[in-house]
Amino acid sequence: MDGGYGELVRTRGVVRIIAAQLTARFPSGMLSLGLLFHVEGRTGSYGVAGVVLAALSIGQALSGPATGRLMGRLGIRPVVVVTTVLCAAAVTSIALLDLPPVGLTVLALLAGLTFPPITSAVRTIYPKLVPSSMLGPLFSLDASLQELIWIGGPVLVTFLATGVSTTAALVLSAVLLIGGGAWFAASREVGRVRIPRSKRRFGVVLLRPQVALMTVVGFLVIASCAAIEASVAGAFGEDDPTSGVVLAIWSLASLLGGFALGRLPMRPWSLTLRLVVVTVGVALTPFLPGFWGLTGALVIAGFGLAPALGLMSAIVSSSVRFSDTAEAYGWTNTGQLVGVALGAALAGQALDHFGAQTAFLCGAALAALATIAAAVGIPVSPDLKGRDAGPVPETAPIPLPPS
């Protein structure tokens, strides 16, 4: 790791806050699959498990902007601590209590509503942690390393659910929520950052064209990813571990792409070009069946994925005031969570009625729409070459008329 990344990891506090937030966010890669295994095992119904997962996603989608806004009013630490405790309690209750489907659904909704806003918090902290000139590489590094969550989380929860018990898998998720959340909240970097209270009404930040654009593009990108994940699982069957290997390689390719492309200058068309790479790879999936075909296609797609996600974070950061960043990231996260639900649902319907090839086509179509949306948004996308990616100042000089 050299150049920009070497300087980043030598910056005081960067490694510590990245490690803490990755630990706190690790349950994100465990909960969905853990709940699926647990609820299906308790009820014998994948339909009930799907409803419970939907409740979790709806709760997370609703809470994202609100908890982001609360961090500006109450502080990062209080919001993270309270939501972490409530979310861990809800997950533990699902794991340990013998509840009917309605009770499981209510608790899953509560877990989603109180899911700790670590992503919004840490991306709000980053501009205060490093010089603005290093924000682009830092966002790219963050987007790359988060792939470890989606590689390790599903593997760990599958091992525990099948080798020990689904209860153990969920309890470990709750333990990581508490441990990671406590580590993150106790970090001195969190204590040093105070988000100014926004003077704008809730939701007004969505009127910023860059925030609206990144919410739409993120929705479509993650919907495509969810559709592809479901399509891969459907192509190999639920009892074949090959699908997990393919998805892990996809995530590794994304991680490597983030490291390789993360330091490139960020121009208005950079997001579109990175999404073209994603779309090309995804578009090959309907026509390259089997392990090697799908792996090759998704390696291409993955190489552009983390760089695109990192650039999206930088665009949001550079386009809003610091007091609005947490809420802005809350909205973009909400768009991505809705994308997960839509992409998985579309692919599921396609798998049931038409087969895996059509399901892959759904993912390709969503990726193409994301690329088109990014291209349409080029005129409002910031040119960050030679510019800082830090937030817009809270105050600015007011030009006076000539005397």
Side-chain angles (χ1 to χ4, degrees), residues 321-375:
R321 296 184 180 185
F322 183 63
S323 58
D324 292 323
T325 50
E327 183 187 342
Y329 284 124
W331 285 112
T332 58
N333 290 340
T334 290
Q336 293 176 17
L337 286 164
V338 175
V340 170
L342 175 68
L346 281 176
Q349 290 295 317
L351 285 168
D352 286 343
H353 295 96
F354 304 105
Q357 186 178 40
T358 302
F360 280 119
L361 284 171
C362 290
L366 289 165
L369 288 173
T371 304
I372 292 170

Side-chain angles (χ1 to χ4, degrees), residues 230-258:
S231 302
V232 170
F236 290 103
E238 61 181 24
D239 296 325
D240 190 340
T242 304
S243 60
V245 176
V246 173
L247 294 175
I249 293 173
W250 184 20
S251 293
L252 284 171
S254 179
L255 188 152
L256 293 174

Side-chain angles (χ1 to χ4, degrees), residues 19-83:
Q21 62 99 3
L22 283 176
T23 304
R25 291 167 60 194
F26 199 80
S28 299
M30 301 175 64
L31 273 180
S32 294
L33 199 54
L35 284 173
L36 178 69
F37 286 140
H38 186 76
V39 175
E40 192 280 330
R42 287 286 179 89
T43 66
S45 170
Y46 279 109
V48 172
V51 171
V52 172
L53 290 180
L56 177 73
S57 296
I58 290 170
Q60 288 178 278
L62 291 174
S63 69
T67 52
R69 183 81 168 198
L70 278 175
M71 286 190 289
R73 291 177 177 268
L74 305 177
I76 296 175
R77 273 180 174 158
V79 174
V80 168
V81 169
V82 172
T83 54

Side-chain angles (χ1 to χ4, degrees), residues 28-297:
S28 299
M30 301 175 64
L31 273 180
S32 294
L33 199 54
L35 284 173
L36 178 69
F37 286 140
H38 186 76
V39 175
E40 192 280 330
R42 287 286 179 89
T43 66
S45 170
Y46 279 109
V48 172
V51 171
V52 172
L53 290 180
L56 177 73
S57 296
I58 290 170
Q60 288 178 278
L62 291 174
S63 69
T67 52
R69 183 81 168 198
L70 278 175
M71 286 190 289
R73 291 177 177 268
L74 305 177
I76 296 175
R77 273 180 174 158
V79 174
V80 168
V81 169
V82 172
T83 54
T84 295
V85 171
L86 292 175
C87 184
V91 173
T92 303
S93 298
I94 293 173
L96 300 179
L97 301 179
D98 188 10
L99 298 170
V102 172
L104 295 171
T105 303
V106 170
L107 284 173
L109 179 63
L110 177 61
L113 288 171
T114 58
F115 200 83
I118 303 296
T119 302
S120 298
V122 75
R123 290 176 183 170
T124 301
I125 291 170
Y126 282 159
K128 301 298 183 182
L129 192 62
V130 300
S132 296
S133 59
M134 297 170 62
L135 270 179
L138 180 54
F139 281 125
S140 182
L141 179 64
D142 177 270
S144 300
L145 291 177
Q146 76 177 0
E147 294 296 342
L148 298 175
I149 297 170
W150 308 112
I151 297 171
V155 171
L156 179 59
V157 80
T158 301
F159 171 77
L160 286 173
T162 57
V164 184
S165 71
T166 58
T167 298
L170 288 181
V171 168
L172 179 60
S173 298
V175 169
L176 288 173
L177 273 171
I178 292 291
W183 185 10
F184 180 78
S187 300
R188 66 183 67 175
E189 292 75 22
V190 174
R192 287 204 300 259
V193 174
R194 180 71 175 92
I195 304 173
R197 187 166 180 168
S198 178
K199 299 179 177 63
R200 295 168 179 78
R201 294 191 308 275
F202 179 70
V204 170
V205 71
L206 265 178
L207 298 179
R208 295 287 301 177
Q210 296 85 0
V211 177
L213 176 65
M214 292 306 99
T215 301
V216 172
V217 173
F219 159 74
L220 291 168
V221 169
I222 301 303
S224 172
C225 291
I228 293 299
E229 288 175 1
S231 302
V232 170
F236 290 103
E238 61 181 24
D239 296 325
D240 190 340
T242 304
S243 60
V245 176
V246 173
L247 294 175
I249 293 173
W250 184 20
S251 293
L252 284 171
S254 179
L255 188 152
L256 293 174
F259 284 132
L261 304 181
R263 290 172 293 166
L264 294 180
M266 298 182 182
R267 308 303 302 271
W269 56 84
S270 295
L271 179 60
T272 303
L273 292 180
R274 295 175 188 197
L275 289 177
V276 165
V277 176
V278 176
T279 301
V280 168
V282 170
L284 293 173
T285 57
F287 311 105
L288 297 175
F291 174 80
W292 292 110
L294 287 176
T295 297

Side-chain angles (χ1 to χ4, degrees), residues 11-28:
T11 301
R12 184 178 180 182
V14 168
V15 172
R16 178 170 54 245
I17 200 70
I18 286 178
Q21 62 99 3
L22 283 176
T23 304
R25 291 167 60 194
F26 199 80
S28 299

